[in-house]
Amino acid sequence: MTRLLVIRLSALGDVVHTIPAVLSLRDWYDVSWIVEKPYAELVRIVAGVAPIPVQLKRWSLSAIGETRRAARGFDVVVDFQGLIKSALIARGAAPLRYGFAREAVREKPAAFFYNRKIKVDQTKHVVGWNLQLAAALLRNPAETPPRPSWSAFPQDPQNRLSELTHKIVLLPGAGRLEKLWPFDHFRQLVRHYGERAVVVWGPGEIDLARAIGGVLAPPTDLRELAFILQHAEIVIGGDTGPLHLADALGARVVGLYGPTDPRRNGPYSQLQRVIRPANTMEAIAVDDVVRKIEEVLAS
């Protein structure tokens, strides 16, 4: 079987959004996936392919060189990332290199390293972009996107999270400052819902979570986070990886969006549950969020 290398290094939401495309390739290729180490288990369990864990968040030419040595000997490579560092890895991995056309890649010089540049409909959600890129490698792509099975991924091995199930889960963190909803707005949600609300946080977010008040979740790894999200009554957050994970797990969500376009980056199966009155997070009123939460819970 033809050996295919997938490149999508990070972040969590982007990895989640790439899984359906990888599933569409899995029956036709022997697939391996280069991914940042924290997401390797996710790739192995949910996508069902062999992960090649790397640590390239702070990349250097030496780190790229080490990764390229681990990525040799493939027949085909498909770069879903569209960055210079991912394209450099692709260049040494296989003679046939697929990637997005120049107008669709984030770092335009990356497209120089692909010899198969695929145009995609940029009005679609990024999941659709990924599926279109994957379809270029298939003779008869399926009309219906594959549905990942998440049942084996969430876990609570120490049985310490059961008290946090069936709660209103708040995700105050985000990868960029402009994606943060003001913490005082989250604090008002905590006051409104009391002990029904649980604040979930990630690396570097503990001070923010404490400032919001309310019930604070313990530190979690990715699979424990998935357990809390899967068993939530509803999940509230901005354009961040845990929100996309919650949506993929089938949890009800309310997405808070400002600078990013939910048509491209929203919770894929629940775009109708996004609030975006303007391009700034400050424009999202607490009362509007409460109304949306109650609307979703009643549906």
Side-chain angles (χ1 to χ4, degrees):
M1 184 177 283
T2 302
R3 298 188 67 213
L4 183 144
L5 179 66
V6 164
I7 304 175
R8 178 76 236 194
L9 303 169
S10 62
L12 174 58
D14 298 308
V15 172
V16 169
H17 287 156
T18 306
I19 288 175
V22 174
L23 290 180
S24 72
L25 296 167
R26 199 179 59 183
D27 290 340
W28 302 96
Y29 295 91
D30 176 11
V31 180
S32 296
W33 185 337
I34 286 189
V35 68
E36 287 285 341
K37 189 175 181 180
Y39 314 123
E41 197 171 29
L42 171 63
V43 162
R44 179 178 59 82
I45 294 173
V46 181
V49 300
I52 301 176
V54 298
Q55 292 179 294
L56 290 175
K57 285 261 184 167
R58 296 179 179 177
W59 68 283
S60 64
L61 289 177
S62 62
I64 292 290
E66 291 176 10
T67 303
R68 289 180 68 179
R69 285 189 287 275
R72 287 176 178 167
F74 289 87
D75 302 299
V76 187
V77 60
V78 53
D79 180 10
F80 290 98
Q81 188 100 26
L83 300 179
I84 293 172
K85 65 180 178 181
S86 59
L88 285 171
I89 296 167
R91 185 176 183 272
L96 195 57
R97 301 181 295 277
Y98 284 79
F100 294 111
R102 190 175 186 277
E103 63 269 16
V105 294
R106 189 187 312 173
E107 295 180 356
K108 304 304 181 187
F112 174 79
F113 297 98
Y114 312 139
N115 48 30
R116 298 292 186 276
K117 301 175 179 65
I118 307 304
K119 292 183 179 293
V120 296
D121 183 351
Q122 295 183 63
T123 66
K124 293 185 177 296
H125 192 280
V126 69
V127 171
W129 293 31
N130 293 334
L131 287 167
Q132 290 175 67
L133 179 53
L137 287 84
L138 301 172
R139 292 181 181 177
N140 297 299
E143 292 184 6
T144 303
R147 294 183 62 86
S149 173
W150 289 85
S151 58
F153 189 70
Q155 67 167 2
D156 179 17
Q158 299 177 6
N159 194 31
R160 67 190 181 107
L161 304 174
S162 58
E163 293 184 1
L164 302 181
T165 60
H166 309 294
K167 299 288 188 179
I168 295 173
V169 172
L170 306 182
L171 304 171
R176 302 204 314 261
L177 287 176
E178 63 267 27
K179 292 183 180 183
L180 290 172
W181 197 40
F183 78 89
D184 184 63
H185 290 16
F186 272 112
R187 189 158 51 192
Q188 291 179 58
L189 280 188
V190 168
R191 290 175 186 152
H192 183 86
Y193 287 107
E195 293 187 357
R196 289 176 66 192
V198 171
V199 180
V200 173
W201 52 280
E205 297 173 355
I206 182 62
D207 291 339
L208 174 63
R210 285 174 176 158
I212 289 167
V215 179
L216 198 65
T220 57
D221 63 23
L222 188 55
R223 297 184 71 180
E224 291 167 335
L225 170 64
F227 179 87
I228 295 174
L229 298 175
Q230 185 182 53
H231 293 90
E233 186 176 12
I234 192 169
V235 179
I236 319 300
D239 179 14
T240 185
L243 183 81
H244 298 298
L245 179 59
D247 175 55
L249 288 162
R252 293 180 290 188
V253 307
V254 171
L256 310 178
Y257 276 67
T260 51
D261 187 349
R263 292 173 298 179
R264 181 190 184 278
N265 293 101
Y268 182 57
S269 63
Q270 301 179 69
L271 296 179
Q272 76 281 10
R273 293 174 175 173
V274 168
I275 301 174
R276 192 198 190 203
N279 292 335
T280 63
M281 298 296 286
E282 291 79 4
I284 303 173
V286 175
D287 287 347
D288 290 340
V289 176
V290 171
R291 277 192 291 270
K292 178 62 76 171
I293 290 171
E294 296 305 320
E295 174 190 316
V296 173
L297 289 177
S299 62

